[in-house]
Amino acid sequence: MQQHGKVSPMQETPSVLRISIPSPLRRLFDYLPASQHEFDQMQLGIRLEVPFGSRKAVGLLVEKANSTEFDQAKLKFAADVLDHQSLLSDDILALLKWVAGYYHHPPGEVFFSALPTLLRKGKSIQPDLIKKWCLTDAGNRLDVSTLGQRATRQKQLLVLLKSTSATSENALDAKQLDKQLSNWRPIMAKLVEKQLVICQESQELITDDPVCGTDEAVCREGHRNPNLNEAQQTAVQQVVEKLHQYCAFLLEGVTGSGKTEVYLRIIEQVISQGQQALVLVPEIGLTPQMISRFRSRFNCQIAVFHSGLNDKERLDAWLMARAGKARVIIGTRSAVFTPAPDLGVIILDEEHDLSFKQQDGFRYSARDVAVKRAHQNGIPVVMGSATPSLECLYNVHADRYSHLLLPERVAGAQFPQVRLLDVRAVKMHDGLSPVLLQQMRQHLQKGNQVLLFLNRRGFAPALLCHDCGWVSHCQRCDANMTIHQRDHRLRCHHCGADKPLMNTCPQCTSSELHTYGVGTEKVEQSLNALFADKKVIRIDRDTTRRKGAFESILEKVNSGEGQILIGTQLLAKGHHFPNVTLVGILNTDNELFSSDFRASERMAQLVVQVAGRAGRAEKPGEVLIQTHQPEHPLLQILIKHGYKKFAQIALEERRQADLPPYVYLALLRAEAVNMQAPLAFLQAALDISSEYNLSGNNLAENKKAHVSFLGPLPAPMEKRAGRYRAQLLLQSSTRASLHQLLQHWTPRLETLKQARKVRWSLDVDPMEMF
């Protein structure tokens, strides 16, 4: 690798490379090119290897300039150019610049979040060479029956190659051969040596999907689209009419109303015009059912992005999308930054889902970024939900979003009957009331399936000593450790701490240890005892952790192998279980009294989504909600008037209380091993804020431009993973005034001496206040 010396201080108007490097610093870094010619040839969006402190780092070229604010004589040269063409298109670069500015996050971390892991590490953009094997002319002419009896394996391989017409045009790769034969490589080597087979190498990406050109059928041969009802037709028509201009649509459709079919029809039109569609879904919404539905529908390559991909699979999918080969791109949150040269529409399913907001590191909202990307590219964005977020409903009322409604279930399916079960003073059986158990028996006797929802995994949330009162508290968090009976472990669901489940109290040595509360594992155990003749299937993070486990479980459910389903919010969305006729929600009371002002909205959304799993086909459905608070206004509104009425009331409460979406928030968080350090840093941050904020004397006449502060205060869960946490909340009635303060204030925070003793982060538009 060539090293260059420092530039001469006499050089005038230097050519400067402004490079983003993953680091916590909120700025770009200036470097010099090897020559003016190299500078002129460089494209924005290429990667370079540069000296960074005592190491070499991979950086991304973001700007080219003819001046620098630093001492020109101290600038270093970029060590190596890794790309000759930009990895990111101009629209993605512009989007990332906006994102870095809006969220006031270090640009290096923002830009590199748009790249697959292997590219961040400096891997070549060129795909790995793929080996393929085909018959030579001699191999094609050979009569395999003439081979000796000891050449059985060679015969098998030759027959396979002949049966698939393995010529140079359709040679077989290792992935295809693995499906047909085991341990075929040594045999193939012998056939190559005999010149019966030839090995070819290419840089093609392996995919199971054909390429669909604009002159080919969009849908696969033999596929017949289901009939749309009037509301679906209207929704599709309104979006298609806006395909070449920006328009934001909120598609509000009740559960089972056919929102996915609306998405598919819109995507058909986009593909037929030679464009690409980007579909964003929550992690738990990206189900095998959904992917299978897309793959069986469209006659084109589909790139899928989710957390289960390895680095190589993610890079291949990214390259297909970037090259325009993948006409449909489906992914979770981070897929919003996927390059797509022919992007025609962006679709967000379950737009209200909390997982669209990154909760650590680079804290961005994929929904809001998608809207910005659509606006920037002049294309429509469709946000679908049965329970829209209050932010989206607010934007509808403000005429920023167009409102599309799907008020009815498809295929004549009826809405389930919903009832509250008052369980006060009722003797429960591991979280199950007698009425619920009775209804379960009735539905099961008819050959139907029952779904039970409890958003708490594990066996029980705490272990308690009956003699001395000791509780299984996590030493690193302000939380209890959850019992996992099957693994015989105690685990903290906040920091991951893990230890064996003890038989005696560590404080008094008593053996009188009792579980406190109920989790999905305990309910599963009880159901197995109560319904011994029925198959119980538990669906939560513990049972779906292994790769392929979720798909296997869903196959069992859809085949009717499991009659009773118990699970967490993994069951709440994205699934169509036509034989589920009874849904039981075991506990919703915890969210009714949360300190988070968004808790009621999330609870309402979760209840409606879970209830929507019942009666989705021709069979009528029933939903039972167990509660100790049957008169609570939120539950009464949901049961009697539905989510629409709840949202109207919740928005009015937010307006009166000066809460989002009527005001704008930012949350400055800090954490440290020392209890006092986070509060000290936040107090110093508050002290310098007056330099950029309006003083109290001007508040009355400039109220709209003022930013108010709450705190610093300890976080609701002060101790987590061995670190103490605190926060400072910023609030303003205008987005502009909040960001004007953040633009000047945030860089100053890096210079505070207290900042060196803490980890701190800024969360713009926070969705969680813990």
Side-chain angles (χ1 to χ4, degrees), residues 278-280 343-348 370-371 373-374 379-383:
L278 172 59
V279 183
L280 300 177
L343 190 60
V345 70
I346 302 176
I347 294 172
L348 284 92
V371 172
R373 184 174 182 181
I379 60 174
V381 56
V382 181
M383 295 163 279

Side-chain angles (χ1 to χ4, degrees), residues 494-506:
H494 298 281
C495 72
D498 182 290
K499 63 183 180 181
L501 181 62
M502 65 282 294
N503 296 319
T504 59
C505 174

Side-chain angles (χ1 to χ4, degrees), residues 432 450-456 518-525 527 536-540 543 563-568 571 584 586:
L432 304 167
V450 173
L451 186 154
L452 301 179
F453 172 79
L454 177 63
N455 209 20
R456 179 184 289 155
V518 176
T520 52
E521 189 180 345
K522 190 172 186 179
V523 175
E524 177 193 25
Q525 184 184 85
L527 291 171
V536 179
I537 295 179
R538 174 162 57 95
I539 304 179
D540 56 25
T543 61
Q563 292 81 43
I564 303 176
L565 318 179
I566 170 66
T568 59
L571 282 173
L586 303 190

Side-chain angles (χ1 to χ4, degrees), residues 1-5 51 56 77-79:
M1 185 179 297
Q2 186 177 3
Q3 290 283 353
H4 304 282
K56 292 285 181 65
F77 284 89

Side-chain angles (χ1 to χ4, degrees), residues 365-648:
S365 166
R367 180 192 62 202
D368 297 346
V369 173
V371 172
K372 178 64 179 181
R373 184 174 182 181
H375 183 268
Q376 177 182 280
N377 287 36
I379 60 174
V381 56
V382 181
M383 295 163 279
S385 177
T387 53
S389 63
L390 297 188
E391 284 80 7
C392 275
L393 290 172
Y394 172 79
N395 281 322
V396 167
H397 298 159
D399 293 328
R400 297 190 186 103
Y401 295 173
S402 296
H403 202 187
L404 306 175
L405 291 172
L406 302 179
E408 298 177 352
R409 286 186 158 187
V410 297
Q414 300 300 311
F415 293 108
Q417 293 183 341
V418 183
R419 285 195 292 149
L420 295 178
L421 295 184
D422 185 355
V423 296
R424 291 176 294 186
V426 173
K427 186 176 181 180
M428 307 288 282
H429 193 291
D430 291 335
L432 304 167
S433 66
V435 174
L436 177 58
L437 289 171
Q438 179 183 357
Q439 292 301 108
M440 288 177 63
R441 293 187 181 96
Q442 290 183 8
H443 283 261
L444 292 170
Q445 285 173 0
K446 296 177 182 179
N448 299 323
Q449 291 175 311
V450 173
L451 186 154
L452 301 179
F453 172 79
L454 177 63
N455 209 20
R456 179 184 289 155
R457 62 189 176 96
F459 187 81
L463 187 66
L464 174 72
C465 177
H466 182 66
D467 288 348
C468 73
W470 172 87
V471 179
S472 56
H473 194 75
C474 177
Q475 295 182 352
R476 305 179 68 231
C477 299
D478 290 337
N480 294 327
M481 299 190 78
T482 300
I483 303 161
H484 288 256
Q485 188 74 36
R486 181 168 296 179
D487 298 332
H488 209 67
R489 309 291 294 180
L490 284 172
R491 295 194 180 112
C492 177
H493 290 175
H494 298 281
C495 72
D498 182 290
K499 63 183 180 181
L501 181 62
M502 65 282 294
N503 296 319
T504 59
C505 174
Q507 186 166 286
C508 72
T509 70
S510 169
S511 60
E512 289 294 318
L513 294 178
H514 300 282
T515 60
Y516 178 79
V518 176
T520 52
E521 189 180 345
K522 190 172 186 179
V523 175
E524 177 193 25
Q525 184 184 85
S526 297
L527 291 171
N528 281 322
L530 292 167
F531 300 91
D533 60 331
K534 304 297 181 183
K535 174 70 173 178
V536 179
I537 295 179
R538 174 162 57 95
I539 304 179
D540 56 25
R541 193 183 303 174
D542 297 324
T543 61
T544 59
R545 199 180 303 274
R546 182 174 51 84
K547 189 172 183 179
F550 195 25
E551 292 87 339
S552 177
I553 290 174
L554 290 179
E555 287 180 8
K556 292 180 180 179
V557 173
N558 290 316
S559 68
E561 183 176 339
Q563 292 81 43
I564 303 176
L565 318 179
I566 170 66
T568 59
Q569 60 181 340
L570 284 175
L571 282 173
K573 308 168 193 133
H575 306 292
H576 177 65
F577 301 137
N579 289 323
V580 169
T581 56
L582 173 65
V583 167
I585 300 177
L586 303 190
N587 184 6
T588 61
D589 293 348
N590 291 341
E591 299 300 320
L592 294 175
F593 304 102
S594 172
S595 59
D596 188 343
F597 70 88
R598 298 186 192 273
S600 61
E601 177 187 0
R602 291 187 193 131
M603 197 211 76
Q605 290 166 342
L606 196 55
V607 167
V608 173
Q609 293 283 349
V610 174
R613 302 311 103 195
R616 292 173 67 91
E618 68 277 1
K619 299 178 181 180
E622 182 180 11
V623 180
L624 301 177
I625 303 174
Q626 296 184 159
T627 178
H628 289 85
Q629 308 291 330
E631 293 89 12
H632 194 283
L634 188 154
L635 292 176
Q636 288 295 322
I637 292 169
L638 279 179
I639 299 303
K640 295 179 180 179
H641 305 289
Y643 184 81
K644 181 178 180 180
K645 184 64 174 179
F646 159 79
Q648 292 174 349

Side-chain angles (χ1 to χ4, degrees), residues 65-257:
N66 292 317
S67 63
T68 178
E69 62 182 283
F70 303 102
D71 184 351
Q72 179 183 335
K74 294 183 178 180
L75 293 185
K76 296 179 180 180
F77 284 89
D80 198 8
V81 178
L82 302 182
D83 306 301
H84 297 293
Q85 292 185 336
S86 176
L87 296 185
L88 301 173
S89 56
D90 291 343
D91 64 308
I92 294 293
L93 289 172
L95 178 68
L96 293 169
K97 286 183 180 180
W98 176 86
V99 168
Y102 183 82
Y103 291 102
H104 303 274
H105 196 78
E109 295 183 1
V110 172
F111 280 90
F112 273 74
S113 69
L115 297 178
T117 301
L118 292 178
L119 295 184
R120 298 177 203 173
K121 296 178 178 179
K123 179 180 170 59
S124 171
I125 187 75
Q126 298 299 326
D128 292 335
L129 290 175
I130 297 173
K131 291 184 177 182
K132 294 185 177 182
W133 291 266
C134 65
L135 295 170
T136 62
D137 290 340
N140 271 311
R141 293 194 301 269
L142 177 69
D143 182 357
V144 295
S145 63
T146 62
L147 295 176
Q149 293 183 353
R150 300 179 61 184
T152 304
R153 294 280 290 168
Q154 292 184 31
K155 288 181 182 179
Q156 289 178 332
L157 193 50
L158 285 169
V159 169
L160 173 62
L161 292 172
K162 284 177 177 289
S163 66
T164 55
S165 302
T167 60
S168 58
E169 289 79 15
N170 56 355
L172 298 182
D173 57 50
K175 183 178 178 181
Q176 294 167 311
L177 288 165
D178 285 337
K179 293 179 179 178
Q180 302 292 331
L181 289 175
S182 61
N183 196 29
W184 55 268
R185 292 180 185 274
I187 311 301
M188 186 71 80
K190 291 180 181 179
L191 294 178
V192 171
E193 185 180 343
K194 292 180 179 181
Q195 297 184 352
L196 298 175
V197 172
I198 187 172
C199 179
Q200 303 173 333
E201 290 185 332
S202 68
Q203 291 184 330
E204 297 177 10
L205 297 173
I206 299 178
T207 175
D208 295 330
D209 298 304
V211 177
C212 176
T214 57
D215 57 340
E216 298 176 0
V218 173
C219 293
R220 293 191 184 275
E221 185 177 352
H223 173 79
R224 294 185 63 183
N225 289 339
N227 294 327
L228 299 181
N229 60 34
E230 184 178 348
Q232 288 176 305
Q233 291 176 1
T234 300
V236 172
Q237 181 180 352
Q238 290 194 33
V239 176
V240 170
E241 288 175 352
K242 301 286 187 179
L243 276 187
H244 299 286
Q245 58 184 291
Y246 167 73
C247 189
F249 294 94
L250 173 62
L251 178 62
E252 182 179 0
V254 298
T255 55
S257 61

